[in-house]
Amino acid sequence: MNKSSHSGRRQLVVGNWKLNGNRHENAILVRGILAGWQDNLNVDVVLCPSDVYLQQTAELLSARSIFLGAQNVSEFWQGAFTGEVSAQMLADLNCRFVIIGHNERRRLLKETDEQIVQKFIAAQRANLTPILCVGESLQHREQGLQLQVIKSQLDAVFSQTGKECLVNAVLAYEPVWAVGTGVTASPEQASEVHCFIREQLGANADKIRILYGGSVKAHNAAELFAKPDIDGALLGGASLNPEEFVSICKTASLIWQH
Ligand code: PGA
């Protein structure tokens, strides 16, 4: 199975380490990933450690073909905003990507659509590629409102930025009920939403990568990646296990052939 016939979009696998690890454990994790890594893998890979370990991770990765990403960014550019980390600071540390609007930040940290838009704009201003997360709650899914919820999350950004800016962005569909729960959306459920998202993306829709996130593991990655509109994965738990993480990257690489 490969995707050459329908997509010029190279698969992308992003590891979101969240609030886990310490210096020592991160070093073990990165070394574990590099031990299984092959530079000829046909996949883009991003690691998103805590900001305080970005420098360490960059040094350990050295020149390997794995990108660095952040889990969050300030909506402010600079100034008196104690405790914030700006997009230009992340770019200065060689970050190339930043996750924006993750459901844990929307729900637990009460991030608003307005903040998410400002973060998206700040990221692009610093030449970071935003990975914009959208996804419905279990309650919304049970009410059949998933597409409506996703449309409103997307519109909140598009209405201020226009759709042209998406050429330098990645989208991630992460149903809240699937993140960290061990319950994965079926390939059909994910695919339905990915197709819907793509329909919303305007003229450049075919060029934009849409990742799936929510309990993706080595055993279910292949069936998700096989769907034409699923361009890779945003991984939480599976990214903390180096063997599993590399195995998922290899699955993505095998599926996307020239
Ligand atoms: P999970 O997390 O893979 O542990 O479900 C995904 C995410 O939070 O992006």
Side-chain angles (χ1 to χ4, degrees):
M1 170 101 51
N2 72 61
K3 290 186 153 180
S4 59
S5 55
H6 51 69
S7 159
R9 301 180 299 271
R10 189 171 151 99
Q11 300 284 114
L12 172 63
V13 176
V14 181
N16 174 11
W17 295 354
K18 308 192 181 182
L19 192 60
N20 291 299
N22 56 36
R23 248 186 112 70
H24 177 66
E25 287 164 355
N26 285 351
I28 293 174
L29 182 50
V30 176
R31 291 200 180 103
I33 291 169
L34 291 178
W37 191 251
Q38 295 156 2
D39 277 325
N40 62 354
L41 288 181
N42 220 338
V43 57
D44 289 331
V45 172
V46 181
L47 296 181
C48 303
S50 157
D51 287 354
V52 296
Y53 299 123
L54 282 167
Q55 177 95 27
Q56 178 205 21
T57 308
E59 282 165 11
L60 288 166
L61 286 173
S62 178
R64 303 303 284 268
S65 52
I66 297 177
F67 298 109
L68 208 54
Q71 300 173 17
N72 181 37
V73 64
S74 177
E75 67 260 44
F76 304 111
W77 189 244
Q78 64 178 33
F81 300 103
T82 302
E84 291 290 273
V85 175
S86 74
Q88 21 179 10
M89 290 172 184
L90 295 175
D92 196 27
L93 288 177
N94 294 322
C95 261
R96 298 279 297 275
F97 292 81
V98 59
I99 299 170
I100 289 178
H102 190 282
N103 83 76
E104 286 154 13
R105 297 206 60 86
R106 290 181 192 260
R107 286 182 307 118
L108 307 174
L109 285 308
K110 308 288 176 230
E111 248 176 41
T112 63
D113 279 338
E114 178 53 28
Q115 285 174 295
I116 289 166
V117 177
Q118 295 309 323
K119 287 174 184 225
F120 186 99
I121 292 170
Q124 289 198 327
R125 185 174 168 197
N127 286 324
L128 299 172
T129 301
I131 301 169
L132 176 65
C133 301
V134 295
E136 81 286 359
S137 65
L138 181 59
Q139 193 189 4
H140 283 136
R141 165 123 331 226
E142 284 174 349
Q143 293 169 343
L145 295 175
Q146 62 270 22
L147 301 183
Q148 217 167 301
V149 168
I150 283 152
K151 185 164 177 4
S152 87
Q153 291 170 339
L154 291 173
D155 285 349
V157 176
F158 300 163
S159 61
Q160 296 212 37
T161 61
K163 295 184 180 176
E164 310 71 48
C165 68
L166 289 169
V167 179
N168 296 317
V170 172
L171 291 166
Y173 168 53
E174 296 210 308
V176 176
W177 47 271
V179 172
T181 60
V183 181
T184 319
S186 69
E188 291 69 34
Q189 284 174 317
S191 191
E192 183 205 14
V193 177
H194 281 235
C195 291
F196 174 77
I197 293 175
R198 204 172 297 287
E199 281 165 23
Q200 312 300 309
L201 302 184
N204 294 307
D206 286 345
K207 299 192 188 116
I208 299 161
R209 291 187 282 197
I210 308 174
L211 312 182
Y212 169 77
S215 299
V216 178
K217 308 287 178 198
H219 71 84
N220 58 24
E223 58 181 12
L224 288 159
F225 294 163
K227 289 288 181 190
D229 277 294
I230 299 181
D231 304 316
L234 177 49
L235 308 173
S239 69
L240 295 172
N241 176 328
E243 290 82 26
E244 180 151 39
F245 183 72
V246 172
S247 156
I248 294 170
C249 295
K250 287 182 176 166
T251 301
S253 168
L254 282 175
I255 270 182
W256 198 88
Q257 301 290 343
H258 285 290

